[in-house]
Amino acid sequence: MQRHDQTVWNDTDVDGYEPLLSEKGLKEVEIDSALPDDLTRDSLELPELSEPELARHYTRLSQMNYGIDSGPYPLGSCTMKYNPKFTEDVAALPAVSVHPDRDAESIQGTLQVFAELQEYLADIGGMDTVTLQPPAGAAGEFTGIMVAKAYHEYNDEGEQRDEVVVPASAHGTNFASAAMAGYDVVELPPGSDGRVDLDALSAAVGDSTAALMLTNPNTLGLFERDIERIADIVHEAGGLLYYDGANLNALLGRARPGDMGFDVMHFNLHKTFATPHGGGGPGAGPIGVTEDLEAFLPTPQVRERDGQYDLVEPEHTIGKVHGAMGNWLVLLKAHAYISRLGDSGLRDTSEKAVLNANYLASQIDLEIPFGPFHHEFVASAGERDAADVAKRMLDYGVHPPTTKWPEIVQEALMTEPTEAESKTSLDQLAAAFNAVTEEGEQTLAEAPENTSARRIDQTSAARNPQLSWHSLDS
């Protein structure tokens, strides 16, 4: 048996000549044993289908799913935005097929796009510097907290500041990111109005506080009106203020986290800038920081000097968190989206998101205990099971909202319609909400009736998925 011995490949040609396979060094090696039995099989159980049959199979599968291209998708706090198709055209251009390991001199155009996106996001967030590397929102959170940790360690407070404060209504990833970074998590109870309780915050922070992780507007869609006082309390205690960018859609072009006193933030490009969301990626969760934290960002950073773009290593970098500078095509789509909309377009996006949320809320017959809200709201299903309500909404041809969270609202239905929905779509959603509120508990408990799959064991489906190209009951 032969194999290529890559250690003797001749890649040293200064002109970039790539040797043919036959010109590369080969050597014979003896393989003592064949592959183990458990790694071999006699045949592959693949279907034998004609092209039309194959096309129909995947078309049928696509029709069994519900996605943002199928209809309204109002998952609260997830910002399931419509993804403009022109960004896919941009990402499919032959010119963007760039190998990530090419040297900086040969990819000046690519680096220019990175640098411009860094500047766009820094301007939007009110931050001094942005890194594009983190491959998802949660990865951005973790990277941001690691940058904050490196900052405290550099100032000889790493051991002392071992706590991160997180509001009880925060996204679950906030708790996870802080814990993964090695911090003890201090849960902050909400005030009676659903916002941060300043007295509770003052009692929670101190010499052990490394950071407060905050979403603004919060997961109830409420703007933290005391954000400047919140920033002062955290900073006076020596901590940093971290902005969870999940709800940046509500502020886009109108307010900036940096101006509110946040020191570090992450952007969910898939939520705010209409790149694909969910499904395991690829994603992108850039982080922005103030000047004091720049030296701790991941390496490399793209920098421009005299019209040339280069890769540099921040002085006290936490290291590398993703290959190349991030998920290139996702970042390119965000660049295209921001460039197409411009300042006025981004602001218009945010205003329509807030308008749509308020219009939809005005049309449904459910209690909304906290307000005034911005781009999303949390209604209460009251004595009914929010999960039952959600399942029944599927029968009306719409995707249901997020359910049972945040827990400070009884049987919560968190709804975020986004700016992309028309009045007709919003009326369709409202009609589904209202139809379900008039139905009996037995009907709700047996829903959904009209979907390709009825109720499933959600825990088993998440922890023990069974994936197959054919029907599991055949």
Side-chain angles (χ1 to χ4, degrees):
M1 181 174 291
Q2 292 182 334
R3 71 176 185 184
H4 298 114
D5 185 348
Q6 298 190 12
T7 61
V8 297
W9 280 17
N10 179 17
D11 288 333
T12 58
D13 192 304
V14 294
D15 294 329
Y17 172 71
E18 175 67 12
L20 298 173
L21 199 62
S22 59
E23 297 173 303
K24 296 176 178 178
L26 301 175
K27 72 177 183 179
E28 294 187 357
V29 296
E30 295 295 329
I31 303 298
D32 296 330
S33 61
L35 290 173
D37 291 341
D38 60 351
L39 295 181
T40 65
R41 52 189 168 188
D42 296 329
S43 64
L44 293 174
E45 295 182 0
L46 296 176
E48 295 183 2
L49 300 171
S50 66
E51 181 176 315
E53 290 173 318
L54 188 65
R56 291 165 187 165
H57 170 74
Y58 283 109
T59 299
R60 182 178 61 83
L61 289 181
S62 71
Q63 293 171 339
M64 292 171 66
N65 287 323
Y66 189 99
I68 197 66
D69 289 339
S70 307
Y73 209 119
L75 280 179
S77 216
C78 281
T79 317
M80 301 296 285
K81 293 177 72 164
Y82 172 72
N83 299 318
K85 302 308 178 224
F86 82 91
T87 62
E88 301 294 334
D89 294 336
V90 172
L93 293 172
V96 304
S97 299
V98 178
H99 194 284
D101 288 338
R102 285 174 56 174
D103 61 81
E105 290 185 358
S106 67
I107 54 171
Q108 285 293 294
T110 302
L111 295 183
Q112 180 179 350
V113 172
F114 280 123
E116 288 178 355
L117 183 57
Q118 287 176 181
E119 291 182 10
Y120 290 166
L121 296 178
D123 285 345
I124 290 169
M127 293 285 145
D128 291 313
T129 306
V130 166
T131 177
L132 304 174
Q133 281 191 36
E141 279 184 32
F142 181 69
T143 302
I145 288 298
M146 291 302 293
V147 167
K149 187 174 187 177
Y151 168 83
H152 289 307
E153 290 175 345
Y154 179 79
N155 290 305
D156 296 326
E157 293 187 334
E159 293 185 4
Q160 169 192 329
R161 298 192 178 277
D162 57 0
E163 295 179 350
V164 169
V165 181
V166 183
S169 61
H171 299 96
T173 49
N174 288 181
F175 297 91
S177 296
M180 286 181 62
Y183 285 109
D184 295 329
V185 178
V186 178
E187 186 172 309
L188 188 66
S192 58
D193 63 351
R195 297 177 172 85
V196 170
D197 184 313
L198 295 182
D199 291 335
L201 176 63
S202 296
V205 301
D207 293 341
S208 299
T209 302
L212 166 67
M213 300 184 76
L214 193 64
T215 308
N216 195 19
N218 64 21
T219 54
L220 292 167
L222 308 177
F223 188 81
E224 297 287 356
R225 293 177 296 211
D226 297 318
I227 185 58
E228 291 178 325
R229 181 62 190 135
I230 291 171
D232 288 342
I233 292 173
V234 174
H235 289 153
E236 287 167 4
L240 298 172
L241 192 56
Y242 182 96
Y243 183 78
D244 180 331
N247 291 346
L248 186 60
N249 198 35
L251 304 180
L252 203 56
R254 303 192 298 162
R256 307 194 305 173
D259 297 337
M260 301 177 199
F262 287 92
D263 303 289
V264 54
M265 66 175 292
H266 80 269
F267 300 83
N268 286 309
L269 296 192
H270 51 283
K271 290 185 174 182
T272 313
F273 302 108
T275 63
H277 188 174
I287 67 168
V289 298
T290 57
E291 185 177 7
D292 290 343
L293 300 176
E294 286 183 5
F296 308 97
L297 286 174
T299 186
Q301 275 288 98
V302 181
R303 297 282 172 82
E304 182 269 340
R305 178 177 297 174
D306 300 328
Q308 291 292 307
Y309 298 90
D310 205 353
L311 301 175
V312 299
E313 179 172 319
E315 185 176 6
H316 306 298
T317 179
I318 63 169
K320 198 167 179 58
V321 301
H322 192 271
M325 275 65 71
N327 281 325
W328 159 235
L329 294 182
V330 177
L331 299 169
L332 180 63
K333 292 175 188 177
H335 183 286
Y337 180 83
I338 295 171
S339 300
R340 171 69 69 88
L341 267 64
D343 291 342
S344 60
L346 294 176
R347 181 183 178 90
D348 185 61
T349 292
S350 179
E351 290 174 348
K352 285 189 169 63
V354 175
L355 176 64
N356 280 2
N358 281 270
Y359 174 74
L360 177 60
S362 72
Q363 299 300 303
I364 65 175
D365 300 327
L366 289 167
E367 180 190 3
I368 301 171
F370 294 104
F373 48 81
H374 285 255
H375 65 304
E376 65 184 0
F377 61 89
V378 182
S380 173
E383 299 299 323
R384 298 188 170 200
D385 188 312
D388 287 349
V389 172
K391 295 298 183 186
R392 184 56 176 162
M393 288 183 70
L394 295 172
D395 286 332
Y396 288 93
V398 299
H399 197 285
T402 300
T403 62
K404 295 183 178 291
W405 180 77
E407 296 177 349
I408 55 178
V409 174
Q410 180 185 14
E411 296 298 328
L413 296 165
M414 183 193 286
T415 306
E416 182 180 0
T418 81
E419 77 285 353
E421 299 303 333
S422 66
K423 181 176 180 299
T424 300
S425 295
L426 298 175
D427 289 339
Q428 180 188 6
L429 269 171
F433 269 108
N434 295 334
V436 173
T437 61
E438 297 177 356
E439 294 185 314
E441 293 186 3
Q442 186 67 27
T443 299
L444 300 188
E446 295 176 353
E449 295 180 345
N450 304 324
T451 54
S452 57
R454 299 290 298 277
R455 293 227 179 181
I456 61 174
D457 182 336
Q458 297 182 97
T459 302
S460 296
R463 296 179 178 174
N464 185 31
Q466 297 180 36
L467 307 177
S468 173
W469 60 269
H470 59 75
S471 176
L472 293 175
D473 57 5
S474 64

